[in-house]
PDB file of all heavy atoms in Angstrom:
ATOM      1  N   ARG A 459      -5.592 -10.236 199.906  1.00 93.00           N
ATOM      2  CA  ARG A 459      -6.970 -10.580 200.261  1.00 93.00           C
ATOM      3  C   ARG A 459      -7.478  -9.490 201.185  1.00 93.00           C
ATOM      4  O   ARG A 459      -7.265  -9.515 202.405  1.00 93.00           O
ATOM      5  CB  ARG A 459      -7.028 -11.948 200.942  1.00 93.00           C
ATOM      6  CG  ARG A 459      -6.554 -13.103 200.058  1.00 93.00           C
ATOM      7  CD  ARG A 459      -6.832 -14.453 200.706  1.00 93.00           C
ATOM      8  NE  ARG A 459      -6.119 -14.602 201.972  1.00 93.00           N
ATOM      9  CZ  ARG A 459      -4.894 -15.084 202.116  1.00 93.00           C
ATOM     10  NH1 ARG A 459      -4.218 -15.474 201.041  1.00 93.00           N
ATOM     11  NH2 ARG A 459      -4.322 -15.182 203.306  1.00 93.00           N
ATOM     12  N   VAL A 460      -8.146  -8.499 200.607  1.00 93.00           N
ATOM     13  CA  VAL A 460      -8.549  -7.295 201.337  1.00 93.00           C
ATOM     14  C   VAL A 460     -10.061  -7.299 201.536  1.00 93.00           C
ATOM     15  O   VAL A 460     -10.824  -7.467 200.582  1.00 93.00           O
ATOM     16  CB  VAL A 460      -8.119  -6.025 200.581  1.00 93.00           C
ATOM     17  CG1 VAL A 460      -8.448  -4.777 201.391  1.00 93.00           C
ATOM     18  CG2 VAL A 460      -6.625  -6.070 200.260  1.00 93.00           C
ATOM     19  N   SER A 461     -10.495  -7.099 202.757  1.00 92.00           N
ATOM     20  CA  SER A 461     -11.916  -6.988 203.069  1.00 92.00           C
ATOM     21  C   SER A 461     -12.305  -5.516 203.197  1.00 92.00           C
ATOM     22  O   SER A 461     -11.449  -4.626 203.190  1.00 92.00           O
ATOM     23  CB  SER A 461     -12.221  -7.714 204.387  1.00 92.00           C
ATOM     24  OG  SER A 461     -11.566  -7.058 205.469  1.00 92.00           O
ATOM     25  N   GLU A 462     -13.594  -5.248 203.324  1.00 91.00           N
ATOM     26  CA  GLU A 462     -14.055  -3.875 203.549  1.00 91.00           C
ATOM     27  C   GLU A 462     -13.431  -3.318 204.825  1.00 91.00           C
ATOM     28  O   GLU A 462     -13.039  -2.149 204.879  1.00 91.00           O
ATOM     29  CB  GLU A 462     -15.585  -3.858 203.658  1.00 91.00           C
ATOM     30  CG  GLU A 462     -16.319  -4.111 202.359  1.00 91.00           C
ATOM     31  CD  GLU A 462     -16.627  -2.819 201.611  1.00 91.00           C
ATOM     32  OE1 GLU A 462     -16.056  -1.780 201.983  1.00 91.00           O
ATOM     33  OE2 GLU A 462     -17.415  -2.868 200.659  1.00 91.00           O
ATOM     34  N   THR A 463     -13.300  -4.153 205.854  1.00 92.00           N
ATOM     35  CA  THR A 463     -12.696  -3.710 207.118  1.00 92.00           C
ATOM     36  C   THR A 463     -11.228  -3.356 206.919  1.00 92.00           C
ATOM     37  O   THR A 463     -10.747  -2.335 207.437  1.00 92.00           O
ATOM     38  CB  THR A 463     -12.825  -4.816 208.175  1.00 92.00           C
ATOM     39  OG1 THR A 463     -14.211  -5.148 208.347  1.00 92.00           O
ATOM     40  CG2 THR A 463     -12.244  -4.356 209.510  1.00 92.00           C
ATOM     41  N   ASP A 464     -10.518  -4.189 206.172  1.00 93.00           N
ATOM     42  CA  ASP A 464      -9.109  -3.899 205.881  1.00 93.00           C
ATOM     43  C   ASP A 464      -8.974  -2.580 205.131  1.00 93.00           C
ATOM     44  O   ASP A 464      -8.086  -1.762 205.425  1.00 93.00           O
ATOM     45  CB  ASP A 464      -8.491  -5.020 205.041  1.00 93.00           C
ATOM     46  CG  ASP A 464      -8.458  -6.344 205.768  1.00 93.00           C
ATOM     47  OD1 ASP A 464      -8.325  -6.342 207.010  1.00 93.00           O
ATOM     48  OD2 ASP A 464      -8.572  -7.393 205.096  1.00 93.00           O
ATOM     49  N   ALA A 465      -9.848  -2.378 204.148  1.00 93.00           N
ATOM     50  CA  ALA A 465      -9.798  -1.150 203.357  1.00 93.00           C
ATOM     51  C   ALA A 465     -10.070   0.067 204.231  1.00 93.00           C
ATOM     52  O   ALA A 465      -9.371   1.090 204.127  1.00 93.00           O
ATOM     53  CB  ALA A 465     -10.805  -1.226 202.216  1.00 93.00           C
ATOM     54  N   ALA A 466     -11.072  -0.050 205.102  1.00 92.00           N
ATOM     55  CA  ALA A 466     -11.400   1.075 205.992  1.00 92.00           C
ATOM     56  C   ALA A 466     -10.232   1.396 206.914  1.00 92.00           C
ATOM     57  O   ALA A 466      -9.930   2.575 207.175  1.00 92.00           O
ATOM     58  CB  ALA A 466     -12.646   0.737 206.803  1.00 92.00           C
TER      59      ALA A 466
END
Side-chain angles (χ1 to χ4, degrees):
R459 298 189 298 271
V460 184
S461 65
E462 289 269 13
T463 302
D464 296 328

